[in-house]
Amino acid sequence: MRPEAGEVLHFSEDPDITRFVPHVAATARQPEAYVWAVTAERCPDYWFPRQCPRAMAWTTPDSTDADRDRIIGPGCGERVHVVEYGWLEAFLTVRLYAYRFPAEKFVPFGEPVPNAVVATEPVEPLGPPEPVGDLLRLHEEAGIQLRLLNDLWPFWDAVTASSLGWSGIRLRNARRRRSQPFVDHGDENRGSVAHGA
């Protein structure tokens, strides 16, 4: 599920939105109100239940072979998404929808590399929302490895110290670290391509 040329997408579990009004998201680190959407490159970051914590890593032109093999795995493609076992049922059963918006209403958001696109005025979808469908199949068709772990944090620590691109979304919903006090990581990103909002 990706946008057509001239479009961006917004993913939601709510199929009844007819008009999107700028707002300050609960997870926002900025005070401005926006309507959020993503380009084709960032869509896979949102092939999850909305509240599902996920850690993602991918190769970039600056990634070393050693980091790719250590974190993604030899012969395992160029990208991996990691979720906790406790979120598997929700991942398999969620009803997720994609809203299509005209791309010209949005501008890139995020530094140094944009991780989303935003609009500062209300936006109406181009049509009714489309069911995203089978999230596992979307990952398979996109060649994205999906990994299940009891604990995201060892993976997160390894990937954020690596040369790979990475993104973490809804990390505050992950199981707490076993040996360290809880730190609210929010949503974090880095890499040479756009990152999740």
Side-chain angles (χ1 to χ4, degrees):
M1 173 64 65
R2 303 205 195 231
E4 300 293 335
E7 297 177 348
V8 294
L9 294 185
H10 176 91
F11 292 93
S12 177
E13 293 175 29
D14 183 348
D16 298 318
I17 307 171
T18 57
R19 186 170 185 258
F20 287 76
V21 177
H23 70 285
V24 178
T27 57
R29 294 185 177 184
Q30 74 289 323
E32 297 83 15
Y34 295 121
V35 174
W36 295 86
V38 289
T39 60
E41 296 79 20
R42 300 316 306 218
C43 284
D45 295 7
Y46 295 90
W47 294 342
F48 295 90
R50 179 172 174 78
Q51 296 303 323
C52 177
R54 60 263 199 193
M56 298 163 284
W58 55 87
T59 60
T60 73
D62 298 326
S63 298
T64 66
D65 290 344
D67 280 347
R68 183 193 63 225
D69 289 349
R70 178 174 58 90
I71 294 170
I72 297 177
C76 294
E78 303 298 317
R79 187 173 178 118
V80 60
H81 291 175
V82 179
V83 297
E84 296 170 336
Y85 278 104
W87 282 89
L88 179 58
E89 183 176 353
F91 178 84
L92 294 173
T93 60
V94 68
R95 290 179 183 241
L96 191 65
Y97 299 87
Y99 289 87
R100 295 181 184 274
F101 296 137
E104 69 267 12
K105 302 223 179 232
F106 291 80
V107 296
F109 180 89
E111 294 290 338
V113 178
N115 56 46
V117 292
V118 296
T120 56
E121 300 293 331
V123 182
E124 292 185 6
L126 293 170
E130 300 170 34
V132 174
D134 185 334
L135 301 182
L136 189 60
R137 179 164 302 233
L138 280 176
H139 277 77
E140 178 186 15
E141 291 172 352
I144 299 170
Q145 179 187 164
L146 183 65
R147 192 178 300 167
L148 298 171
L149 298 174
N150 285 324
D151 184 351
L152 289 181
W153 298 114
F155 174 85
W156 182 248
D157 292 342
V159 76
T160 56
S162 78
S163 60
L164 298 175
W166 48 263
S167 179
I169 298 177
R170 300 296 188 268
L171 294 177
R172 66 177 48 88
N173 295 340
R175 294 175 63 184
R176 289 192 177 201
R177 290 181 182 266
R178 294 182 186 156
S179 60
Q180 297 177 355
F182 176 70
V183 175
D184 184 359
H185 290 278
D187 297 345
E188 300 186 30
N189 308 278
R190 186 204 71 207
S192 62
V193 296
H195 303 289

